Amino acid sequence: MKTVLSGRGAPAEIDREGPAVMIGERINPTGHKKMAQALKDRSFDYIRELALAQVEAGAAILDVNVGIPGADEPALLPEVLRLVSSWVEVPLCIDSNNPLALAAGLAAVEGKPLVNSVNGEEERLSSILPIVRDRGAAVIGLTMDDRGIPEDAETRLAIAERILERAAKLGIPAEDVLIDPLVLTVGANQQAGRVTLQTIERLRRELGVNINVGASNVSFGLPERTIINQAFLALCIGAGANCAITDPAKLASTVLACNLLQGHDAYGRRYIRHIRRLQETQRP
Amino acid sequence: MKTVLSGRGAPAEIDREGPAVMIGERINPTGHKKMAQALKDRSFDYIRELALAQVEAGAAILDVNVGIPGADEPALLPEVLRLVSSWVEVPLCIDSNNPLALAAGLAAVEGKPLVNSVNGEEERLSSILPIVRDRGAAVIGLTMDDRGIPEDAETRLAIAERILERAAKLGIPAEDVLIDPLVLTVGANQQAGRVTLQTIERLRRELGVNINVGASNVSFGLPERTIINQAFLALCIGAGANCAITDPAKLASTVLACNLLQGHDAYGRRYIRHIRRLQETQRP
């Protein structure tokens, strides 16, 4: 099972039998005042910095979300996507709750982008899957629906199956649907991590799909969040996730270490190159 | 499957369905000049410091190895074990290649200690298992034999089965044998991590035993070893290991984060207490 995405440059592959890849999550104003202000002021230099830094840190794909209150997303999203495409060659992940913005975004980029996201809600399935299909894009499918995020792996799996079925009916192949099992904070519910890990194992074993995880929600409200996020990401990759939407500055070392440890990095070449780059950057 | 060990104080449980526990590895002169010198000089204050610091950092069990060239191990090991027992209450892991030293060590401590280690070599099996049985101790079984460490999971599993069978014949139950699948550095062999992870999965699924891992060899010769060791430990725990012989100062946070993420730490109480203690220690 291979999800192949492309931007202006070389394609990015998310391969069930290959190394885990990172989607850089930083171009997103949610809970991020400086980014929200930059979007409001149309001062795109900051976004450029984040785009370049994330690719340099190892992101194979960049997520782009411009959802600030009052923004004209169907106009702003394609504008920012075009800018990001002019700065970096990697495939983009077009991130919005607004189907019109997604459609406009899909029209604005080259290659084969990823759409973030659809879920099990009927309204999302019927509004978003057709535009993904028409554009020949790939899509992230979140295992939640109108009733929220299920507390058990069984129901999350059923939602994943529903998303895959609906996609297949429209002619979107399973390799173009990345399932995201979602995770809640373990600070509020001690079973939250376990349920997500179980969902990943079952998605991998029973559905054979490629799996994306967001590795930062899990630690919400807890101290030293990076330690938890690193451990969680390793556990997710071990369970079968092969894509992570994350901050590469914080988690690239963990992802590259996992790839090395799972036999996807001959002689540790990629890991060693990454560490050398970090050491050079940190040198005074 | 529960391995229950004890020292002077409360027992330590290694429970197949419970959190991962740490064996502190620092009291060992191998590749550690300061410790070797302290043992030669009989200056035991340094060993006391390491014993207390490791328990404070979260070690549930302490490994004690005094193997320096020229030492009279059958005399020195029980002496150091008695000292360590006077400083800390946790169970001890008696670590030696010398069966006479192991026997003397086993006679020197209270409770139910762990012996480190037996492996698939006939000579080790026949010399060490009887003294483990006679003392009612538990033992670590390494998946290697006269031919070295097998390159594949299949052969490692066969050695684990042989160790368990030989133990059972003598009346040592499976819960008193911790299997250690061993790991070589991924710097030399890119499949080294993968084979160990596969061995852990199969040991867990097919034999149902408790599993110990050493999480530092894997990164030998590579830069930023702690990052690799942290990722490897999380991958091992995810695959089913529930005991790690390690330096708690470097890896306790990862182990506690994994326990939290696997649903073994209600409200993150143990994780939060650990982080607060670290933060207090680091404050000027």
Side-chain angles (χ1 to χ4, degrees):
Chain A
M1 182 75 71
K2 264 190 209 181
T3 308
V4 182
L5 303 171
S6 60
R8 279 193 301 121
E13 277 188 9
I14 304 166
D15 181 349
R16 199 173 178 282
E17 306 307 326
V21 304
M22 280 176 289
I23 304 176
E25 72 178 2
R26 298 290 309 284
I27 303 179
N28 188 330
T30 315
H32 188 180
K33 277 185 193 168
K34 194 172 170 188
M35 172 67 71
Q37 197 59 48
L39 285 168
K40 234 180 239 172
D41 300 345
R42 304 177 55 78
S43 57
F44 296 129
D45 281 359
Y46 178 56
I47 299 178
R48 182 167 183 271
E49 247 172 67
L50 281 181
L52 296 176
Q54 289 183 98
V55 171
E56 175 71 13
I61 299 153
L62 289 188
D63 190 78
V64 177
N65 180 313
V66 300
I68 48 171
D72 177 7
E73 258 194 86
L76 184 59
L77 185 56
E79 182 182 2
V80 174
L81 284 166
R82 269 187 218 105
L83 285 170
V84 176
S85 294
S86 72
W87 302 321
V88 300
E89 296 193 338
V90 299
L92 301 181
C93 176
I94 305 174
D95 184 357
S96 175
N97 285 323
N98 182 333
L100 293 176
L102 288 177
L106 280 165
V109 299
E110 288 177 58
K112 180 176 174 181
L114 183 62
V115 168
N116 188 3
S117 58
V118 72
N119 61 39
E121 290 176 54
E122 183 50 43
E123 181 264 333
R124 297 288 291 176
L125 290 168
S126 57
S127 63
I128 292 168
L129 288 181
I131 57 178
V132 169
R133 191 262 323 262
D134 292 349
R135 175 63 177 76
V139 64
I140 294 176
L142 309 176
T143 60
M144 60 176 286
D145 61 17
D146 333 42
R147 289 160 299 181
I149 301 175
E151 290 202 2
D152 62 306
E154 186 66 30
T155 315
R156 292 190 200 185
L157 217 72
I159 294 174
E161 287 182 293
R162 196 186 326 147
I163 294 169
L164 288 161
E165 274 166 25
R166 290 292 294 270
K169 263 191 199 159
L170 287 174
I172 302 171
E175 60 259 34
D176 284 341
V177 184
L178 278 181
I179 297 294
D180 185 325
L182 294 169
V183 64
L184 299 165
T185 171
V186 284
N189 175 354
Q190 66 163 317
Q191 295 307 320
R194 190 183 195 112
V195 168
T196 299
L197 293 168
Q198 283 170 344
T199 307
I200 293 171
E201 275 169 25
R202 292 192 56 186
L203 284 168
R204 170 119 187 166
R205 197 173 57 232
E206 298 174 29
L207 305 184
V209 286
N210 283 326
I211 299 164
N212 178 61
V213 288
S216 49
N217 283 346
V218 72
S219 59
F220 188 78
L222 290 163
E224 294 292 340
R225 293 183 62 177
T226 300
I227 291 171
I228 301 175
N229 296 347
Q230 287 170 334
F232 186 63
L233 193 47
L235 289 171
C236 288
I237 291 173
N242 53 359
C243 185
I245 182 162
T246 188
D247 180 355
K250 289 186 183 152
L251 290 167
S253 299
T254 296
V255 172
L256 289 172
C258 288
N259 288 341
L260 169 59
L261 292 162
Q262 290 197 322
H264 298 308
D265 185 6
Y267 307 102
R269 279 196 201 102
R270 292 190 64 203
Y271 175 80
I272 293 169
R273 197 166 58 219
H274 166 78
I275 296 295
R276 289 213 182 114
R277 198 190 51 75
L278 280 185
Q279 288 167 341
E280 276 160 23
T281 318
Q282 284 157 7
R283 219 166 274 162
Chain B
M1 183 72 72
K2 263 190 209 181
T3 308
V4 184
L5 303 170
S6 61
R8 281 193 300 121
E13 277 187 10
I14 303 166
D15 181 350
R16 198 174 178 285
E17 305 306 326
V21 304
M22 279 174 289
I23 304 176
E25 71 179 3
R26 298 291 310 283
I27 304 180
N28 189 330
T30 315
H32 189 180
K33 279 186 191 166
K34 194 173 169 188
M35 172 66 72
Q37 197 59 47
L39 285 168
K40 235 180 239 173
D41 301 343
R42 303 179 55 79
S43 57
F44 295 129
D45 281 359
Y46 178 56
I47 298 178
R48 182 168 183 270
E49 248 173 64
L50 282 182
L52 297 175
Q54 289 183 97
V55 171
E56 175 71 13
I61 299 154
L62 289 189
D63 189 77
V64 177
N65 180 313
V66 300
I68 47 170
D72 177 7
E73 259 195 85
L76 184 58
L77 185 55
E79 182 182 2
V80 174
L81 285 166
R82 270 187 217 104
L83 286 170
V84 176
S85 295
S86 73
W87 300 323
V88 300
E89 296 193 338
V90 299
L92 301 182
C93 176
I94 306 175
D95 185 357
S96 176
N97 284 323
N98 181 333
L100 292 176
L102 289 176
L106 280 166
V109 299
E110 288 177 58
K112 179 176 175 181
L114 183 61
V115 168
N116 189 3
S117 57
V118 72
N119 62 40
E121 291 175 54
E122 182 50 42
E123 180 266 330
R124 297 289 291 176
L125 290 169
S126 57
S127 63
I128 293 168
L129 288 181
I131 59 178
V132 169
R133 190 261 323 264
D134 292 348
R135 176 61 177 78
V139 64
I140 295 177
L142 309 176
T143 61
M144 60 176 285
D145 61 17
D146 334 43
R147 288 159 301 181
I149 302 175
E151 289 203 1
D152 61 306
E154 187 66 31
T155 315
R156 293 191 199 185
L157 218 73
I159 295 174
E161 287 182 294
R162 194 186 328 147
I163 294 169
L164 289 161
E165 275 168 24
R166 289 291 296 269
K169 265 192 196 157
L170 287 173
I172 302 170
E175 60 259 34
D176 284 340
V177 184
L178 278 181
I179 298 293
D180 185 324
L182 296 169
V183 66
L184 297 165
T185 171
V186 284
N189 175 352
Q190 67 163 315
Q191 295 306 321
R194 190 184 194 112
V195 169
T196 298
L197 294 168
Q198 284 171 343
T199 307
I200 293 171
E201 275 168 24
R202 293 192 56 187
L203 284 169
R204 169 118 189 169
R205 196 174 59 233
E206 298 173 29
L207 305 183
V209 288
N210 283 325
I211 298 163
N212 178 62
V213 287
S216 49
N217 283 347
V218 72
S219 59
F220 188 78
L222 290 163
E224 294 293 338
R225 294 183 60 177
T226 300
I227 291 171
I228 300 176
N229 296 346
Q230 286 170 334
F232 186 63
L233 193 48
L235 290 172
C236 288
I237 292 173
N242 54 0
C243 186
I245 183 161
T246 188
D247 180 356
K250 289 186 183 152
L251 291 167
S253 299
T254 296
V255 172
L256 290 171
C258 288
N259 288 341
L260 169 61
L261 292 162
Q262 289 197 322
H264 299 306
D265 185 7
Y267 306 105
R269 278 196 200 102
R270 291 190 63 205
Y271 175 79
I272 293 169
R273 197 166 58 219
H274 165 78
I275 296 296
R276 288 212 182 115
R277 196 189 52 76
L278 281 186
Q279 288 167 339
E280 277 161 22
T281 317
Q282 284 157 6
R283 220 166 272 160

